[in-house]
Amino acid sequence: MPGTWRRILLESTGSTNDFLKEGLLGLSDRTVVRAVRQTSGKGRLGRTWESPPGGLYASILLVPPPSPEHASRVALLIADIICGELLRAGIGACVKWPNDVIADDGKIAGILPEYGTFPVPWFVTGMGVNLAAAPSIPGRNGPPPAAWARFAPPPDPDALLDRLLLELDEAWPDRTLDPISDRAEGITGRLWMSGREVEVVRGERLDTGIVKGIDAQGRLLLSTGSGMIYLDSGELSPVRSR
Ligand code: BT5
């Protein structure tokens, strides 16, 4: 089993991912920071993560980092672990590839992996889980937010973080290992829109097809009119009715 996590609790910070990235040289491997609220919580691609008090906002630091090809799979693994916690609480949840958790068609959690090489090679992954209430999202484009409290009494953020870290260490005890290779089948069984038609946007490219699952590399398998394609990244949404 890996060593202990060093915990930092902040009342407020811009973004827990940025807190770790800005303090890289003074922070040790396996530091985890949780903030009661974030004032500039981040999503992917410059998007915002609404972070009022009452949710879980936390990030972990790994130095040295896992390999770049494993980095996005860590996000998928954490999404699956959060999904498992919701399912155990009796809440119908699924994993939205590549980094979200959905409950009753609402987004309840999102994961943000980041990595770099300056000033030392590093890997930071942040997780945001709506516990007490679903925030309102200005100019929302995507699924509505959902919160744990809508389905069941939510856990205490620290207790939930403890469990998530424990499960992460159990599932991925060594950062040189692939985080999801032996979990792909399980994730496929909990995949949002499985067997249904979706659109996947990647930059300028749009693919439409039926979600078939994920493979051992964490790629989305999409059955399209011109055959099966394997996607490393992208933005998934239901096909709009035509
Ligand atoms: C994500 O991005 O889902 C990654 C979110 C990661 C948040 C954590 S919190 C701790 C750590 N510190 C940070 O600064 N970030 C991480 P993405 O897939 O790009 O989704 C962002 C989109 O989700 C936004 O554009 C909104 O539409 C929606 N959204 C924003 N806040 C939300 C919330 N609290 N609940 C549900 N949906 C939200």
Side-chain angles (χ1 to χ4, degrees):
M1 192 54 123
T4 50
W5 290 97
R6 287 156 203 84
R7 298 279 287 258
I8 298 174
L9 175 64
L10 304 172
E11 198 52 43
S12 176
T13 192
S15 148
T16 52
N17 272 33
D18 289 348
F19 177 87
L20 292 177
K21 285 161 60 183
E22 285 157 14
L24 274 178
L25 288 179
L27 297 169
S28 46
D29 178 38
R30 290 173 64 82
T31 297
V32 50
V33 58
R34 175 172 94 77
V36 173
R37 62 194 279 269
Q38 297 183 120
T39 51
S40 357
K42 301 189 305 180
R44 291 178 301 155
L45 308 169
R47 292 187 287 239
T48 300
W49 186 257
E50 302 298 327
S51 314
L56 170 64
Y57 316 109
S59 303
I60 61 170
L61 170 68
L62 296 180
V63 276
S67 68
E69 89 248 27
H70 286 172
S72 62
R73 300 179 204 168
V74 178
L76 190 58
L77 170 61
I78 294 176
D80 191 45
I81 287 172
I82 294 171
C83 181
E85 283 290 323
L86 287 156
L87 291 171
R88 262 192 295 286
I91 300 168
C94 43
V95 174
K96 181 178 178 224
W97 180 89
N99 69 328
D100 291 346
V101 185
I102 299 282
D104 195 22
D105 274 336
K107 177 161 166 169
I108 196 163
I111 319 296
L112 178 64
E114 297 185 87
Y115 54 93
T117 52
F118 184 81
V120 290
W122 56 271
F123 174 72
V124 165
T125 292
M127 55 198 102
V129 188
N130 298 326
L131 297 177
S136 66
I137 314 278
R140 183 173 66 77
N141 179 16
W148 197 302
R150 200 177 113 204
F151 310 102
D156 169 74
D158 273 318
L160 177 61
L161 182 58
D162 282 343
R163 289 204 300 272
L164 298 179
L165 296 174
L166 195 70
E167 286 178 58
L168 180 64
D169 282 338
E170 276 169 9
W172 188 46
D174 178 338
R175 73 192 69 175
T176 64
L177 299 175
D178 188 308
I180 58 141
S181 53
D182 50 5
R183 219 173 159 106
E185 208 177 311
I187 297 176
T188 291
R190 296 184 278 280
L191 207 54
W192 188 64
M193 296 298 288
S194 190
R196 292 165 65 191
E197 194 176 27
V198 295
E199 291 175 348
V200 185
V201 176
R202 284 173 299 154
E204 299 290 292
R205 187 168 171 167
L206 172 81
D207 290 295
T208 302
I210 310 283
V211 174
K212 291 293 181 187
I214 63 150
D215 70 4
Q217 282 97 54
R219 298 178 301 180
L220 185 76
L221 309 187
L222 201 63
S223 171
T224 71
S226 45
M228 191 73 85
I229 58 172
Y230 300 77
L231 302 174
D232 285 313
S233 64
E235 204 71 51
L236 206 84
S237 54
V239 168
R240 286 180 287 274
S241 45
R242 283 171 277 209

